[in-house]
Amino acid sequence: MLKTYLSNLVAELERPRTERPFGSGWLSGSAALLCAITANLMVVALRNPDLLTTPELAMVRDSALFRPFLYFVLITGYVLAALSLALRPDKTLGVTAMAATLLASFIGSLPTHASLRLEGAFLGLDFFVLNVLFMGFLFVPLERLFPRNRDQILLREEWREDLFYYFVSSLLVQVLTFLTLAPSRLVKENTDLGTIQSFFGGLPWLLQLLLIMLFTDLVQYWVHRMFHRIPALWRFHSVHHSAKSLDWIAGARMHFVEIVVLRALTATPMFVLGFEESAIQAYILIVYVYSAFIHANVSGSFGWLEKLVVVPRFHHWHHGEEREAIDVNFAIHFPVIDKIFGTHHMPEGRWPKGYGIKGHPVPRGYWRQFLYPFQR
C-alpha cells in the first residue's frame, strides 16, 4: 500500500505541464511539499547539531533570522497544502504535504535531548538543505525564463537520481573536504614554498582570484581529459555523462571516486601557492555556482563573453551524444585552453541534439551507477 501511495505521489510530481495548469493546485501542492521536506530536515538537523550540521554554517543557524525563517516555512507549508487540497481533485500532494508539515511541527515540539555525537565527525544535512534551496531559487527561475529546452520540466526524467547525488555529496562534505585537501597538505608538509607563497600572496586580490581560476582550470583540463582518454577512468566519468537531460542539478551526478580525484588534483595549486584565504573562499563559491550554471537548461547568446569564459552552450557540447561532441570542451572556465590544445568545439548557433552516451550503457540508479565502474 505504501509503495502504491509513493508511486502515485511521484506520478503527481512528474505530471506534464498540460495536466497541471495554473490554478489546478499542483504548484501549491508541490511548493507545500518542498516546504514540508525542508522543515523536517532542518528540525531533525537542529535537534542533533553535533552529528547532522556543518560547523561552518553555525553562523547561519545561530542568526536571529533563522528560526523565524523556519517558522515561516512551516506556516507557508500549511497554507499551500490547504490551498492544494481545496483546488486539486487528486489530493495526494495536499495530503502528503499537510502530513509532512504536521510531522515537522511535532518533531520540533518534542522535549530536547542530548545531541548524538560521533567523535568529531558530522554529516552535512543542513548543508544539503541550504545548498538545494540556494541553487534552486537561483536557477529554477532562470531556466523557466530562458529555457534551452522549453519542453523540459523541473522534475524531468532521472531527477530523483541527481537529487540523491546532491544529497550524498552534501551529507559527506566532511569526508570529501578531508580527501580533497590531502594532496595539498602532503605537498606543503614536504616542500618549502615560502618564496613562491610570498609572491602569490602579495599580489592584488582580484589578480589572485583570476590566477586561481586559471591554474585550477589548467589542472582540471588535463585531469578531465585523462578521465576521457583512459578506459578505467572513463568508467567513472561515464556516470557523469550518462545524464540524458541537462539542468542545474545534473552537474551533481558524479561518481564519488571521480569527485575525490578531480577535486583533490584541481585544488592543489589553489592551496599550496599561498593565495589569500578570502580569495580561495571566493573562488569556491564561484566554481560552485558556475558548475551548476554551465549545466543549466539555459539558452541565449552571450556574445563576446563566449570567447572569454565558458557558457552553457560550450559545456552542453561536451555532453552531446553526437560524434562531433566526443572529447571536446574540457575547460570549465576559459575556452581558450581548449583552443590551445585543439579540443575546442563551438559550432555557430547550434546546440547538441541529444545528451548522454550513445547506447546509454550506464545503468540507472545511484547504487548501480556507483558499482558500474568496478564491474567487468
Side-chain angles (χ1 to χ4, degrees):
M1 184 175 178
L2 178 60
K3 186 176 180 180
T4 302
Y5 186 85
L6 291 176
S7 298
N8 292 337
L9 176 62
V10 171
E12 268 288 275
L13 289 171
E14 296 176 349
R15 292 283 181 197
R17 286 198 180 99
T18 54
E19 297 180 17
R20 49 177 177 85
F22 185 77
S24 65
W26 183 91
L27 184 60
S28 55
S30 299
L33 187 58
L34 174 62
C35 290
I37 293 172
T38 299
N40 273 279
L41 292 177
M42 288 310 304
V43 167
V44 170
L46 290 173
R47 289 182 61 82
N48 300 276
D50 293 324
L51 179 63
L52 298 178
T53 62
T54 310
E56 288 78 6
L57 293 176
M59 184 172 62
V60 177
R61 297 190 305 272
D62 296 339
S63 70
L65 295 176
F66 185 78
R67 289 187 180 275
F69 171 75
L70 185 55
Y71 294 140
F72 172 78
V73 171
L74 279 169
I75 294 171
T76 303
Y78 281 124
V79 173
L80 292 177
L83 181 61
S84 179
L85 286 170
L87 293 175
R88 194 156 184 80
D90 190 321
K91 308 300 182 184
T92 306
L93 280 176
V95 169
T96 306
M98 184 65 76
T101 306
L102 291 171
L103 178 63
S105 303
F106 172 72
I107 295 173
S109 66
L110 291 174
T112 57
H113 61 81
S115 178
L116 301 174
R117 293 177 180 270
L118 197 61
E119 296 298 328
F122 65 85
L123 299 172
L125 185 60
D126 60 338
F127 180 58
F128 167 71
V129 175
L130 296 176
N131 183 11
V132 172
L133 288 179
F134 172 72
M135 300 297 273
F137 280 116
L138 193 63
F139 284 105
V140 170
L142 195 64
E143 291 185 339
R144 291 300 302 272
L145 291 172
F146 310 101
R148 153 68 188 128
N149 180 4
R150 295 185 178 276
D151 295 328
Q152 182 170 301
I153 60 175
L154 174 63
L155 302 180
R156 41 78 177 166
E157 183 182 9
E158 298 185 336
W159 67 272
R160 284 169 286 167
E161 287 94 327
D162 293 337
L163 184 61
F164 193 73
Y165 274 97
Y166 247 110
F167 179 72
V168 172
S169 60
S170 300
L171 209 64
L172 300 181
V173 61
Q174 185 183 30
V175 176
L176 287 172
T177 301
F178 175 80
L179 295 174
T180 298
L181 296 177
S184 57
R185 279 199 303 266
L186 186 64
V187 171
K188 287 194 288 186
E189 290 172 0
N190 295 279
T191 311
D192 183 9
L193 299 173
T195 304
I196 296 175
Q197 291 175 340
S198 298
F199 172 76
F200 285 108
L203 294 173
W205 189 90
L206 185 58
L207 181 57
Q208 288 189 45
L209 180 60
L210 291 174
L211 287 175
I212 290 172
M213 293 180 69
L214 177 61
F215 292 160
T216 54
D217 207 12
L218 278 169
V219 175
Q220 188 275 341
Y221 173 91
W222 287 107
V223 175
H224 193 176
R225 192 166 176 175
M226 181 177 65
F227 268 96
H228 275 254
R229 294 293 188 179
I230 299 175
L233 294 179
W234 166 249
R235 292 183 67 82
F236 290 98
H237 190 54
S238 63
V239 171
H240 180 63
H241 277 267
S242 67
K244 300 173 187 176
S245 304
L246 288 191
D247 56 12
W248 65 274
I249 203 171
R253 183 187 295 208
M254 290 181 68
H255 195 282
F256 190 85
V257 172
E258 183 187 1
I259 294 176
V260 172
V261 174
L262 187 63
R263 288 186 185 178
L265 296 179
T266 301
T268 297
M270 177 172 64
F271 288 110
V272 303
L273 293 179
F275 294 109
E276 289 184 21
E277 183 68 22
S278 59
I280 293 175
Q281 294 299 329
Y283 171 74
I284 291 174
L285 177 60
I286 288 172
V287 74
Y288 210 76
V289 176
Y290 205 79
S291 62
F293 170 66
I294 62 178
H295 289 91
N297 180 33
V298 175
S299 185
S301 173
F302 292 82
W304 57 270
L305 276 176
E306 292 186 348
K307 300 182 184 300
L308 297 180
V309 295
V310 170
V311 295
R313 190 164 71 91
F314 179 91
H315 194 69
H316 277 228
W317 271 110
H318 178 74
H319 280 267
E321 66 173 348
E322 292 97 322
R323 187 177 185 84
E324 63 181 301
I326 296 175
D327 294 345
V328 298
N329 299 358
F330 294 107
I332 296 299
H333 300 305
F334 303 113
V336 68
I337 296 176
D338 279 283
K339 288 186 176 181
I340 292 172
F341 297 113
T343 52
H344 186 275
H345 184 71
M346 192 78 156
E348 189 66 31
R350 288 199 296 122
W351 290 73
K353 294 180 180 178
Y355 303 104
I357 305 170
K358 200 71 173 179
H360 303 295
V362 180
R364 290 189 58 171
Y366 179 87
W367 294 112
R368 289 182 179 180
Q369 291 175 356
F370 181 84
L371 296 174
Y372 174 74
F374 304 106
Q375 297 170 343
R376 295 187 62 182

